[in-house]
Amino acid sequence: MSPIPAELVARATVSYDALQTVGETVYWIEGRPDGDVLVRWTASDGSLDVLPEGFHVASYVHEYGGGAYLATERDLWFCNADDQRIYHASGGRQPVPVTPAPASPGALRYADLRLLPGTDKLICVRERHEDDGAVHNELVILPVDGSADPKVIVSGDDFYMSPEPSPDGKRLAWVSWNAPLMPWDGSWLWVADIQSDGILTDLRLVAGGEDESVCQPQWSPDGVLHLVSDRSGWWNLYAWRDGRLDPVITGEFEVAAAPWEFGYRTYAFRNTQIMAVIQQGPEHHLVTRHPDGSLEPVVLPYTSIKPYLAPAGQKLTFIGSSPTKLPMVVLSHLDDSIQELTTNDLGIDPASLAQPERFVFPTRDGHEAYGLYYPSMSESDQPPPLLVRAHPGPTANWPLRLDLHAQYFASRGFAVADIDYRGSTGYGRAYRLGLRGRWGTVDATDCADAALYLASVGCADHRRAAIWGASASGYTVLCALATTDVFIAGIARSVMPDLKTWGRAAPKFQAHHAELLHSGQSYEVSESGAEIRRPLLLIHGGKDRVTPIGQVRSLVKRLDGTSRLITVSRAGHILRRPSEVQRALFMELEHLRLIDRSVDR
C-alpha cells in the first residue's frame, strides 16, 4: 500500500471556523496559509470571498481570538487582523474603521461583536494593552458608525466573554471569570437590565462560581435565557426561569467545548426545537430536543462537529468531519438530507486509511484513561513501532476525524496512539480537573502507560515507542522523556519548555494557567536538562507569540547534544504554509527512523 505523500498532507491546511448565518446566507472564516478570509455562501452564488484584498478577519483578544465578525442582512462588522480595529462594510463599499486607532498597533482588540436590538449600538469585549504591560478586559458599547468612542459598561473582573442582549434589547447577559481560574474551571454568568446608552441596572448572578463552569448564554426566541453549566459534573444545558435553573439537555455527556476562543455555539434554536452537539469522549453527535423534552439523535455521516452551530432559516449549518472526511461546512435540511458547501476532497481512497479505534487503558495509579489507536497499514507478523501523540492544549482532546498527520505515519509502518490523558475534555468535570496540580506528571505517565498497555496486548513494540506533542503537550513530551523509560525518542512542536518562564511571558489569558495546573507539585525540567537523554526533535516558529523561541533555544543549550532545533522562520505558533508542514513531516520522519536504527531487531 502506497504511503500518504507529505505533499498531500501539506495541502490540507485550509480550516473552517466561526459559522454565522443571516437567513439562509451562510458565513464562515476560512483559515488559509496567507491569512483568515471571510466567506459568504448563498444558494444562487455559491461561495465568495467577502472582503477586498488586504483585509483579513481575526481577533487577537486572549491571543486565541474568535468572535471576530458580525453579519446582518445589509451590514458587516469585523476585526481586521493587521490593526485589530473594528471595521464596517456595507453595499460593496471599502470597509471603514469604527473604532479609534490605538496608541500602538494592536493595543486595542475586540471580540464577540453583538448588536443591541432596537438601537444603533454594538456591544463587544475589548482588551486594552497599556504601555507598562498591563492588560485590561472589559465590555464596551459603541455606535455602529464609529461616531463616538467605545464606552465601558462592565469592568472589574479579569476576563469577559459572550455579551448576549435579549431579543427585546432590554437585558444583557455575559460571562466573567478571574485568574488563576480558566473559564472551564470556574466562571460566573450575570444578567442586568440595559438602557440604550449601555447603562446597566438590577445586576443579578444567574449561575457559576469557583467550582462551576458556565458558558454560552443564549436567549431563546421567546426571551428565555439558556446556558451551559457543569454543576452536575458534565457540561449540560439549562434554562433560567424565575431565578431557577431548569434542566433542558442533561446526561453524562458534554454540551460544550472548553472555551479557548470566543464565539462557540454548541446549541441552536430552530422553531420550537433545540439542536445541540453532545460530546462523549472523542465523538460528537447531533441531537434534536423536542418541546416535550425528548431527545432524538440526528443520523449523520460525521463523528466530529466543531462548536459552531448556526440555524439557516429552517435549516442548520455546522462543520462536520469523520475518520475518512476532512472538516467541511454542511447544510442540514429538515428532512435530514445534507448539502456539503465546501470541498475538502484530497482524492484519498478510504480503504487506504487506518481506521482509529477507541481504547481504555489502566494507569499506574489505579485510574483509567482514554485514547484512539491507529493500526499500522504495513503488513508484518511483528508488533509495529509506536508513535504516541499527546494532544496540544491540556484541556483539549483528540477528535474522531480524519487526521492526516496520524495517517502519514500509519501509512509508513507506525501504529499511532492519540492519548486523551487526564485533563482532557469530553469525559466530565472530574476528568477535566484531573491534571490540576499535576501537569508534567499524570499526562506524561498516562502517555507512557498507554504505550505499555498497547504493547501488552500485542498492538505495538514497546522497544520502539516514541512520543510527539505540540504547544502545551510539548511539555508533556519533555517530562515523559525525563521521568519515564518508555520512549526512546521524542518530537515537540512549539514547545513550552519551562512553565515558570512561560507563565511570566504568556498572554494574560493564560498567564496563571500553568500556575494552576503546576502548583509546585508537577515535575520541573531542571536547569541542566540532563534528565532528557533520549533524542529530541524541536520544531518552532520564529514568530511564535504564544511560546517565544528564546525559551526553546535556552533549553537546547542545556541538553546533552542529542537534541536538535529546527526553526521555521516565518511561522507562528501553528505551521500554516504547505511548505512548512511538508518540511516538518520530513524532519519528523527522519527523526523517528532512530527507532529502527537504535533497536537490535
Side-chain angles (χ1 to χ4, degrees):
M1 187 170 293
S2 300
I4 292 178
E7 182 274 333
L8 184 144
V9 180
R11 276 197 287 122
T13 55
V14 174
S15 62
Y16 305 104
D17 294 285
L19 278 178
Q20 284 189 32
T21 52
V22 181
E24 296 195 357
T25 300
V26 184
Y27 291 82
W28 64 83
I29 290 180
E30 208 160 283
R32 300 174 186 169
D34 57 348
D36 292 340
V37 176
L38 186 63
V39 176
R40 178 179 60 233
W41 179 92
T42 60
S44 58
D45 298 330
S47 301
L48 297 171
D49 291 358
V50 176
L51 298 173
E53 188 175 349
F55 290 94
H56 294 284
V57 179
S59 167
Y60 296 135
V61 177
H62 298 172
E63 296 296 342
Y64 294 93
Y69 75 97
L70 173 67
T72 67
E73 288 186 3
R74 293 181 296 181
D75 298 283
L76 171 72
W77 293 268
F78 67 94
C79 304
N80 188 41
D82 287 344
D83 58 12
Q84 288 299 284
R85 299 171 73 182
I86 298 176
Y87 282 70
H88 174 239
S90 180
R93 293 187 293 271
Q94 188 77 0
V96 295
V98 298
T99 54
S104 59
L108 296 176
R109 309 175 184 185
Y110 303 87
D112 267 357
L113 316 183
R114 305 284 189 271
L115 275 176
L116 181 60
T119 73
D120 59 352
K121 303 290 175 58
L122 283 174
I123 293 176
C124 60
V125 175
R126 183 174 71 180
E127 184 174 272
R128 288 187 291 117
H129 292 247
E130 305 290 358
D131 291 340
D132 62 1
V135 179
H136 303 281
N137 295 72
E138 54 213 5
L139 298 183
V140 298
I141 189 169
L142 66 147
V144 296
D145 60 1
S147 56
D149 288 349
K151 181 177 77 172
V152 176
I153 59 173
V154 181
S155 63
D157 287 333
D158 288 336
F159 303 98
Y160 295 92
M161 183 175 280
S162 303
E164 295 290 345
S166 59
D168 60 8
K170 295 181 178 179
R171 290 176 291 173
L172 179 71
W174 70 91
V175 173
S176 70
W177 68 97
N178 290 292
L181 297 177
M182 300 297 283
W184 48 83
D185 296 317
S187 51
W188 287 258
L189 173 59
W190 308 90
V191 68
D193 295 339
I194 184 169
Q195 299 180 20
S196 59
D197 59 1
I199 293 177
L200 300 177
T201 59
D202 195 16
L203 175 68
R204 286 151 285 171
L205 177 64
V206 174
E210 292 186 357
D211 297 313
E212 179 184 3
S213 169
V214 289
C215 58
Q216 294 191 51
Q218 286 193 67
W219 301 87
S220 65
D222 58 352
V224 176
L225 182 61
H226 287 64
L227 62 131
V228 175
S229 165
D230 67 356
R231 58 177 48 202
S232 71
W234 299 84
W235 269 319
N236 285 173
L237 184 62
Y238 298 86
W240 186 58
R241 296 184 178 92
D242 301 322
R244 70 176 189 274
L245 290 186
D246 294 334
V248 176
I249 299 178
T250 60
E252 292 191 352
F253 47 71
E254 309 276 40
V255 193
W260 281 93
E261 299 178 8
F262 295 89
Y264 287 174
R265 291 193 186 279
T266 51
Y267 67 97
F269 301 100
R270 189 173 72 176
N271 298 328
T272 59
Q273 301 171 333
I274 299 176
M275 311 297 295
V277 176
I278 63 173
Q279 179 185 356
Q280 295 173 301
E283 195 162 358
H284 297 92
H285 305 276
L286 186 65
V287 298
T288 301
R289 197 257 191 197
H290 297 288
D292 63 3
S294 61
L295 294 182
E296 179 184 0
V298 179
V299 179
L300 294 167
Y302 310 102
T303 52
S304 178
I305 300 175
K306 284 191 170 185
Y308 305 105
L309 290 187
Q314 299 301 309
K315 305 163 190 172
L316 183 75
T317 59
F318 58 89
I319 301 167
S321 53
S322 76
T324 59
K325 288 177 176 284
L326 290 169
M328 57 189 70
V329 180
V330 179
L331 185 64
S332 175
H333 299 256
L334 282 175
D335 61 2
D336 291 338
S337 62
I338 56 174
Q339 180 181 0
E340 295 175 346
L341 306 186
T342 58
T343 300
N344 232 340
D345 185 8
L346 298 174
I348 303 174
D349 180 1
S352 69
L353 298 172
Q355 293 301 307
E357 305 163 11
R358 298 176 65 167
F359 71 100
V360 181
F361 60 93
T363 65
R364 62 191 63 192
D365 57 354
H367 293 274
E368 288 184 339
Y370 308 92
L372 290 172
Y373 174 77
Y374 292 79
S376 166
M377 297 302 286
S378 297
E379 295 183 5
S380 173
D381 56 359
Q382 298 296 320
L386 177 67
L387 178 61
V388 168
R389 301 196 309 168
H391 58 70
T395 58
N397 75 297
W398 286 110
L400 190 59
R401 66 180 180 219
L402 180 55
D403 188 311
L404 290 176
H405 184 266
Q407 296 290 345
Y408 178 80
F409 290 103
S411 72
R412 283 165 173 77
F414 292 87
V416 179
D418 288 348
I419 309 307
D420 282 351
Y421 49 82
R422 279 170 283 182
S424 305
T425 47
Y427 305 92
R429 180 179 176 88
Y431 196 83
R432 189 171 74 244
L433 298 184
L435 198 60
R436 184 180 286 187
R438 299 190 292 173
W439 193 11
T441 55
V442 296
D443 50 329
T445 56
D446 284 357
C447 288
D449 290 342
L452 294 173
Y453 169 77
L454 291 171
S456 73
V457 295
C459 291
D461 183 348
H462 73 278
R463 303 169 304 162
R464 296 185 289 160
I467 183 169
W468 179 98
S471 192
S473 66
Y475 177 71
T476 301
V477 170
L478 301 185
C479 295
L481 293 178
T483 63
T484 78
D485 58 0
V486 173
F487 303 107
I488 67 170
I491 299 170
R493 293 189 188 183
S494 307
V495 66
M496 299 174 184
D498 183 312
L499 295 188
K500 291 181 180 178
T501 302
W502 177 78
R504 291 191 292 268
K508 176 189 173 185
F509 174 63
Q510 275 184 283
H512 298 279
H513 192 206
E515 173 188 336
L516 189 66
L517 293 182
H518 194 267
S519 298
Q521 301 176 32
S522 302
Y523 175 77
E524 180 103 20
V525 178
S526 72
E527 287 299 317
S528 68
E531 297 90 339
I532 299 177
R533 299 184 180 90
R534 301 295 190 179
L536 172 64
L537 174 65
L538 298 158
I539 300 173
H540 212 91
K543 297 182 178 180
D544 192 336
R545 297 193 299 180
V546 178
T547 55
I549 194 169
Q551 299 176 24
V552 185
R553 289 177 176 141
S554 297
L555 171 67
V556 172
K557 289 179 181 178
R558 298 197 304 266
L559 297 176
D560 63 2
T562 62
S563 299
R564 182 183 181 192
L565 171 61
I566 303 297
T567 301
V568 186
S569 59
R570 297 172 61 199
H573 195 58
I574 298 172
L575 304 184
R576 292 183 177 273
R577 297 177 180 85
S579 59
E580 298 168 350
V581 175
Q582 192 166 345
R583 181 187 177 199
L585 288 171
F586 287 148
M587 294 297 100
E588 291 177 350
L589 182 60
E590 178 186 356
H591 187 71
L592 290 178
R593 284 180 176 143
L594 292 168
I595 290 177
D596 287 324
R597 291 202 299 263
S598 63
V599 176
D600 183 13
R601 299 178 62 186

